[in-house]
């Protein structure tokens, strides 16, 4: 990596090195509620809607008390719709309200709403974990990838998840497109923060332009 590429990467991390979970007010750790909230956030982010709306909607669900699978199930469909609408998630609110209820019920039945049990069952096998998570209604392959990207520093045994959109961001920034090189050059920066910053560059061209300009 050239000195200019290093400056670009440092500018990116300084300005945008924050996970989407952190932006949504989730203090991610290996406990049931923040893991569930991150899963819901991944579901919201996987739709064709601005990331900022998904993040704000995650906050709105929390404010409405829908903070874990049990409370999500206990809420009425209309309460879920109202919370989604309060966050600006109106285009998909009715369908997503149904899926959030169905997904919460599935998780309660399958693992008592505690995603750590899925982690234990997978026993380090990321393919098995993807399969388990993929059963959650509305999550889909994209949402599973987002969830794994966000929790990769907490569930480290499932490997590095700097791929897809993150590597598109690296390309736009003129950075190396290999996860190992990117993580090595990021130093002590957590992988999830690096990945989120790269995704932001992929989603917003002005992010890449700003970082390149700072590095010039």
């Amino acid at each position: 990596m050239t000195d200019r590429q290093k400056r670009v990467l440092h500018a990116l991390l300084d300005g945008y090195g924050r996970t989407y979970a952190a932006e949504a007010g989730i203090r991610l750790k290996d406990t049931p509620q923040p893991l569930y909230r991150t899963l819901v956030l991944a579901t919201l982010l996987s739709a064709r809607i601005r990331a900022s709306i998904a993040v704000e909607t995650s906050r709105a669900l929390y404010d409405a008390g829908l903070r874990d699978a049990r409370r999500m199930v206990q809420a009425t469909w209309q309460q879920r719709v109202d919370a989604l609408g309060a966050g600006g998630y109106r285009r998909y609110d009715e369908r997503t309200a149904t899926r959030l209820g169905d997904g919460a019920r599935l998780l309660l039945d399958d693992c008592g709403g505690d995603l750590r049990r899925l982690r234990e069952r997978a026993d380090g096998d990321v393919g098995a974990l993807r399969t388990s998570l993929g059963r959650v209604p509305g999550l889909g392959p994209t949402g599973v990838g987002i969830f794994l990207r966000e929790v990769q520093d907490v569930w480290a045994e499932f490997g590095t998840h700097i791929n897809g959109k993150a590597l598109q961001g690296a390309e736009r920034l003129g950075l190396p497109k290999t996860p190992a090189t990117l993580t090595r050059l990021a130093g002590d920066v957590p992988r999830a923060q690096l990945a989120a910053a790269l995704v932001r560059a992929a989603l917003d061209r002005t992010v890449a332009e700003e970082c390149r300009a700072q590095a010039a």
Side-chain angles (χ1 to χ4, degrees), residues 13 17 42 44 66 108 123 171:
L13 293 171
L44 299 173
L66 308 182
L108 285 172
D123 193 25
E171 182 175 19

Side-chain angles (χ1 to χ4, degrees), residues 194-216:
L194 170 62
L198 291 168
V199 168
R200 288 185 171 90
L203 295 176
D204 187 348
R205 185 179 297 276
T206 61
V207 170
E209 292 171 352
E210 175 190 324
C211 294
R212 289 199 304 267
Q214 288 183 27

Side-chain angles (χ1 to χ4, degrees), residues 35-56:
L35 289 171
Y36 176 73
R37 290 184 64 202
T38 302
L39 187 77
V40 170
L41 175 61
T43 301
L44 299 173
L45 285 166
S46 66
R48 294 182 178 179
I49 199 164
R50 290 199 306 274
S52 59
I53 293 177
V55 167
E56 186 59 33

